[in-house]
Amino acid sequence: MKKSNTKLKLLRSLIIIPSLIIATQTINSCNDDFLDQPAYNAADTESVFSDLVTADMFVQGCYRSLVPTEMYYQLGAGDTVTHSSEDGSTNNSKYNICNYQYDAYTPNTLTGIYAAMYASIERTNIAISRLGQMPASAKRDALLGEVKAIRAFCYYNLIRVYGDVPAVWSPLVELDPNDPSTLYPKRASRDVIYDRIIADLQESISAMPTLGQPGFPTTERLTRPAANALLARIALYAAGYSLRWPLNTSTPGTMSRRPDNARVQELYQIADNAAAAVINGGGHSLMQAAGGKSGFETLWFNFCRRNLSSVNNEIMWQIAQYGANTNGAFGVYAHPGTRGGTYGSRKALQFMLPTYYLSFAAGDTRRDVTCTSYSIYFLNAGAAGDTYVDVGTTFSCIMQGKFRIGWCVEPQAADARNLNVPLIRYADVLLMYAETQNYLNGGPTAQAISALSQVRTRAGIGSMAIPSGQVAFEQALVQERKWEFGGEFMLRTDLIRMNKLESEINATRQAMKNLSDKTGAYANIPAIRLYKFHKNAQVYGDPFLAVTYINITDPAQIATVSNIPVNGTAAAIATYQTALRGVATANGQTTVATDLWYPANMFQAYTSTFNANARRTVGFSTGAVNTLQIGNIIYTKPTGSAENGGTYPNWIQGGGDGLFYGFVPNKTELLPFAAQSAGHPMIDNPNLTQLPGY
């Protein structure tokens, strides 16, 4: 028996870290201790599951660590929308993983997702087992459904990252420590795992509460509609494409669906029914325009302000993060970048590809919410009382905007943003429903067109033509998902399940070359942009959206704005500013004598001589003119090939570190397990076979 206990302890310490919630606050209180969990032991659960009040607390604790940093900091990029902008590309896991350069050794692999998901699975297994032993009641059944949905989310995350993974369905204390599969579980078929968690959700959803019932004032806990949305998403992944290879062999795999086509059809129908249940339920909707803001802007401004009740209708499930002990790093790197002042110094380490920024149709209100063509910096030394500026950037440093720090509430610390993590939105339900209707009916139905139209109408592009053919409609959905969900760390694996990753990567590579060369669709993209000088308010809750700019295309106007008085006198600069105001007026801008403008060559680096001299004319000092709080492998580089001496910049096509340089079809769609030198998990479990090619 001693040997068996030793094995169990080893398993617990190496593979997963179970824990138990002991707290007095509930998840919806937003207090800082509600997710704190001391070490678990069997005696604790006897006490905790003696009544439904403490059992409820345990279930709430199962939400903790569901979204580890790697899910958005590493896997939130590389989706042909969001990209890494680190300070260097050598041995940098974020930049390498963004570009599909993996290996099984530190730092080019992921270990946190594996550990966090199995820790959460152990907690949910404990809850499922113990709740199953309690007397049946509506409350007990609701908790059981909730915790099964959490477990389903964990397995969904594991499979979309690693493919086939070990399946553990019972708490470790209930497993036989002498069974080799307990200590060293092998990979299980993803199809078997998917089928089980889908069945769990189907059986449990009807027992789950709806928003507004006691204990569910916000969407920080899973409700019945959110569980239906999760079911639709998981069913689409289960029916979709993934990198498959013969289980427990090293035979190279291929991107394919599961072999049972009848089951694929059934899974699409499950997803369709689940999405329809949400839509027809009437409890959720898209946020619409209010207070002078578009609906999309209203949504994300209120989300950042933590006005949770106002976003409940659209954000159907979000992970609570607030307080000193339960806060997370979500959004720390996904913002325009700040240097000093009220916001402190926070470096932006993710940016938006300029081809994505330029892909939005005219009038699409999502562009300036999702992308910012500005960064926050000071004019002079950054000392107290200095002027901070929303300074216009170039094509190589278009930054993320949904979680911009100016919109947020004041954080507890630099790495504790107080931002909840959005997981499922009603817009996703509409687009999933459009997808299932299109697939099941061989083309878009009226319901599919209506669902897509709702998303586009809210964005301001409702008049855009919708394709009638099945393939064309599916491709339209791929693009729509990019426009709608840019920066929400879900697109990378969505492209994989839709079997669009390779084609989208190839198209993006070519588009970036075309943009760099100013050819094809980018032949007439204006190089010169005239930005209006704008001071940053340096207050949390600043509703500022975008820097006013004018694209300059008239040759005479280009000559005027390009005549920058280098090291000019005050009089020369004043004359130049008068000329710029004249250009602005000629382009329909209302100006006053105190307005300041400055040009930017969008294809040059932010730090180019032209761009630096232009910013000097509005007061930037030598010490501030060329620096941003953005990873310098991007903003210090040009976008244009001509501006780079006739060759593509390295970040577009380099000698080993260009755009998606590590992508290999039928290999890098999944990540390898960490090998022995990385310490986890393969050193812990010799029965975990590696992916082909690693």
Side-chain angles (χ1 to χ4, degrees):
M1 179 62 71
K2 183 176 181 181
K3 182 177 180 181
S4 297
N5 288 337
T6 300
K7 283 185 176 181
L8 274 178
K9 289 178 181 178
L10 180 65
L11 179 63
R12 287 174 57 201
S13 65
L14 292 180
I15 299 182
I16 52 183
I17 309 169
S19 54
L20 169 69
I21 183 168
I22 302 291
T24 57
Q25 292 90 5
T26 66
I27 193 167
N28 296 298
S29 69
C30 291
N31 284 302
D32 61 359
D33 295 324
F34 75 89
L35 292 178
D36 284 352
Q37 297 190 23
Y40 150 80
N41 62 58
D44 289 333
T45 59
E46 293 287 349
S47 174
V48 168
F49 289 94
S50 63
D51 65 73
L52 289 172
V53 173
T54 51
D56 193 335
M57 292 180 183
F58 188 100
V59 171
Q60 291 176 44
C62 291
Y63 285 92
R64 188 172 188 177
S65 301
L66 284 187
V67 185
T69 304
E70 289 175 339
M71 282 178 60
Y72 49 83
Y73 192 16
Q74 278 93 330
L75 296 183
D79 54 7
T80 72
V81 170
T82 305
H83 214 66
S84 174
S85 59
E86 296 287 331
D87 288 321
S89 58
T90 303
N91 292 325
N92 188 300
S93 64
K94 292 83 175 175
Y95 188 79
N96 288 326
I97 289 172
C98 168
N99 284 290
Y100 297 85
Q101 179 61 42
Y102 313 141
D103 58 41
Y105 309 97
T106 302
N108 297 338
T109 189
L110 298 180
T111 59
I113 292 175
Y114 184 93
M117 291 305 100
Y118 279 110
S120 295
I121 287 168
E122 172 67 3
R123 286 194 286 271
T124 59
N125 283 342
I126 291 168
I128 291 166
S129 175
R130 295 294 183 172
L131 285 166
Q133 299 171 38
M134 297 180 74
S137 68
K139 176 66 173 178
R140 193 286 306 259
D141 293 347
L143 291 174
L144 196 55
E146 186 178 2
V147 80
K148 284 184 177 180
I150 295 171
R151 184 173 68 178
F153 179 74
C154 292
Y155 275 117
Y156 148 80
N157 284 330
L158 286 166
I159 293 171
R160 68 195 181 104
V161 173
Y162 300 112
D164 297 329
V165 293
V168 183
W169 305 106
S170 300
L172 287 175
V173 294
E174 296 180 11
L175 299 176
D176 180 3
N178 294 309
D179 185 343
S181 64
T182 297
L183 189 60
Y184 302 126
K186 296 181 179 180
R187 291 182 188 258
S189 164
R190 74 199 69 177
D191 297 332
V192 172
I193 297 174
Y194 270 139
D195 287 348
R196 173 146 182 182
I197 62 177
I198 286 170
D200 282 346
L201 285 167
Q202 289 178 300
E203 294 167 2
S204 304
I205 283 174
S206 62
M208 295 180 68
T210 55
L211 186 65
Q213 289 186 223
F216 291 80
T218 73
T219 55
E220 291 174 328
R221 292 179 72 173
L222 280 158
T223 60
R224 188 184 309 158
N228 260 316
L230 179 61
L231 171 59
R233 180 183 291 180
I234 291 175
L236 281 175
Y237 271 79
Y241 289 83
S242 59
L243 177 57
R244 294 174 175 271
W245 70 99
L247 195 63
N248 296 323
T249 75
S250 59
T251 303
T254 57
M255 286 293 295
S256 58
R257 300 185 192 271
R258 60 168 65 194
D260 183 354
N261 185 62
R263 179 58 176 165
V264 170
Q265 299 294 318
E266 190 175 75
L267 288 166
Y268 268 97
Q269 190 62 60
I270 290 170
D272 186 80
N273 293 343
V278 177
I279 294 168
N280 296 331
H284 292 276
S285 60
L286 298 176
M287 183 166 280
Q288 300 300 319
K293 294 182 175 65
S294 70
F296 203 69
E297 183 183 354
T298 301
L299 169 68
W300 291 110
F301 181 78
N302 280 281
F303 176 81
C304 290
R305 295 301 300 155
R306 297 190 61 82
N307 296 327
L308 302 187
S309 61
S310 69
V311 300
N312 278 339
N313 278 356
E314 176 155 356
I315 298 183
M316 301 177 65
W317 184 25
Q318 54 188 311
I319 297 297
Q321 297 207 95
Y322 192 76
N325 299 322
T326 57
N327 221 316
F330 179 68
V332 167
Y333 309 105
H335 56 83
T338 66
R339 180 63 175 267
T342 299
Y343 306 137
S345 293
R346 293 176 175 85
K347 183 170 285 189
L349 297 176
Q350 292 179 335
F351 79 113
M352 313 303 276
L353 289 174
T355 47
Y356 173 70
Y357 174 76
L358 294 168
S359 72
F360 286 88
D364 194 327
T365 59
R366 294 173 294 192
R367 190 198 70 170
D368 287 345
V369 175
T370 304
C371 309
T372 70
S373 58
Y374 72 87
S375 184
I376 303 167
Y377 211 72
F378 48 72
L379 275 181
N380 295 300
D386 196 358
T387 298
Y388 283 80
V389 181
D390 296 309
V391 57
T393 56
T394 64
F395 283 144
S396 61
C397 44
I398 303 293
M399 310 312 296
Q400 290 204 51
K402 285 178 179 173
F403 312 112
R404 65 192 74 193
I405 197 165
W407 283 359
C408 294
V409 297
E410 185 174 1
Q412 266 77 24
D415 60 350
R417 286 286 305 280
N418 293 340
L419 275 169
N420 281 2
V421 183
L423 292 182
I424 300 177
R425 291 201 282 119
Y426 184 67
D428 193 10
V429 174
L430 288 171
L431 294 183
M432 286 192 293
Y433 186 57
E435 183 179 347
T436 58
Q437 284 286 299
N438 182 58
Y439 179 87
L440 291 168
N441 295 282
T445 61
Q447 291 88 340
I449 293 170
S450 173
L452 174 56
S453 295
Q454 289 180 58
V455 175
R456 285 187 172 178
T457 298
R458 195 268 295 272
I461 56 168
S463 61
M464 182 180 289
I466 294 177
S468 58
Q470 183 178 21
V471 174
F473 187 83
E474 182 186 39
Q475 189 59 43
L477 290 177
V478 171
Q479 184 60 60
E480 199 67 36
R481 295 187 73 84
K482 287 186 178 184
W483 288 333
E484 183 70 23
F485 302 117
E488 294 180 56
F489 68 95
M490 62 187 291
L491 292 173
R492 181 174 174 137
T493 54
D494 269 351
L495 290 176
I496 292 171
R497 73 161 177 84
M498 299 176 84
N499 201 26
K500 298 294 183 181
L501 183 62
E502 181 179 6
S503 60
E504 289 296 308
I505 279 178
N506 289 337
T508 302
R509 281 171 168 166
Q510 187 59 53
M512 281 301 305
K513 291 178 184 177
N514 291 346
L515 176 62
S516 187
D517 290 334
K518 306 181 189 69
T519 61
Y522 306 100
N524 298 314
I525 295 295
I528 302 298
R529 177 177 287 190
L530 189 62
Y531 281 113
K532 186 176 183 180
F533 179 80
H534 185 268
K535 294 180 181 179
N536 184 272
Q538 288 288 289
V539 295
Y540 287 99
D542 177 11
F544 177 71
L545 176 64
V547 177
T548 300
Y549 71 86
I550 306 164
N551 284 322
I552 306 299
T553 57
D554 179 82
Q557 293 181 354
I558 291 174
T560 297
V561 303
S562 298
N563 189 26
I564 302 170
V566 179
N567 298 320
T569 64
I573 291 175
T575 299
Y576 177 65
Q577 283 296 327
T578 298
L580 295 186
R581 285 192 290 273
V583 171
T585 300
N587 283 274
Q589 291 289 322
T590 300
T591 63
V592 296
T594 55
D595 286 344
L596 300 176
W597 296 79
Y598 55 100
N601 187 309
M602 300 299 288
F603 287 90
Q604 292 180 10
Y606 179 86
T607 55
S608 74
T609 299
F610 178 94
N611 289 331
N613 286 335
R615 288 190 295 275
R616 286 190 174 96
T617 67
V618 294
F620 276 87
S621 68
T622 300
V625 73
N626 269 343
T627 307
L628 291 177
Q629 279 292 82
I630 299 170
N632 61 28
I633 62 172
I634 300 298
Y635 88 94
T636 62
K637 311 299 181 186
T639 298
S641 56
E643 291 77 4
N644 195 54
T647 61
Y648 295 119
N650 274 4
W651 66 277
I652 295 177
Q653 180 173 303
D657 62 350
L659 201 63
F660 310 123
Y661 64 92
F663 180 72
V664 178
N666 297 319
K667 177 182 176 183
T668 51
E669 291 88 354
L670 292 174
L671 278 88
F673 284 143
Q676 181 170 342
S677 66
H680 183 81
M682 291 194 74
I683 189 173
D684 303 332
N685 185 352
N687 283 337
L688 286 180
T689 52
Q690 191 57 278
L691 288 173
Y694 297 99

